[in-house]
Structures are given as C-alpha cells and as structure tokens.
C-alpha cells in the first residue's frame, strides 16, 4: 500500500505532465495504466471497468 504523501506526489506528476504536454514520455495518458495502478496501491480498490477507468482518469487529470 502507498501512503497518502507518495500517492499525491505520483498523481501530481501525472497531472503536471498531462497539463504541460498532454502526456509523459511513456505514452498517452488516456491509454496509460499508471493512475488505476496507483489508485489500487493507495486505496486497495481494483478499477478494471473501462468506463470507471475513464472516469477516474478524468477526475484526476481534469479532462472530460
């Protein structure tokens, strides 16, 4: 499990890179699995449904 400080730092990096350049060097944010993975490690909840993943990413990254 991740503690809140590490989770916030990692999610913050995703958010910052998305806002600056619409993605990091690993690929496109909309196709990336990092946010659902971090969510799983932090909250212990597995998000697999495509619509739920899309909603989670939109909430965190700030897009629709």
């Amino acid at each position: 499990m991740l503690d809140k400080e590490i989770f916030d730092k990692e999610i913050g990096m995703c958010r910052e890179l998305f806002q600056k350049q619409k993605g990091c060097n690993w690929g496109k944010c909309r196709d990336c699995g990092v946010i659902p993975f971090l969510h799983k490690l932090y909250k212990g909840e597995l998000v697999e449904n495509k619509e739920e993943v899309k909603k989670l990413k939109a909430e965190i990254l700030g897009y629709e």
Side-chain angles (χ1 to χ4, degrees):
M1 297 284 288
L2 289 178
D3 63 26
K4 181 165 177 39
E5 181 181 346
I6 299 293
F7 175 78
D8 289 343
K9 180 181 176 183
E10 296 295 326
I11 290 294
M13 285 191 296
C14 287
R15 189 177 292 128
E16 182 181 338
L17 289 169
F18 177 76
Q19 290 173 353
K20 283 184 179 177
Q21 59 195 32
K22 299 297 182 213
C24 66
N25 293 328
W26 291 24
K28 298 177 184 173
C29 295
R30 293 179 194 266
D31 298 329
C32 183
V34 170
I35 290 177
F37 181 65
L38 290 172
H39 179 82
K40 174 184 163 187
L41 292 177
Y42 176 60
K43 294 205 173 181
E45 300 171 355
L46 184 60
V47 179
E48 291 184 309
N49 177 286
K50 287 183 181 183
E51 290 302 315
E52 290 177 12
V53 170
K54 189 184 285 187
K55 182 179 176 183
L56 178 65
K57 288 179 181 182
E59 288 173 7
I60 289 174
L61 298 176
Y63 66 78
E64 294 184 26

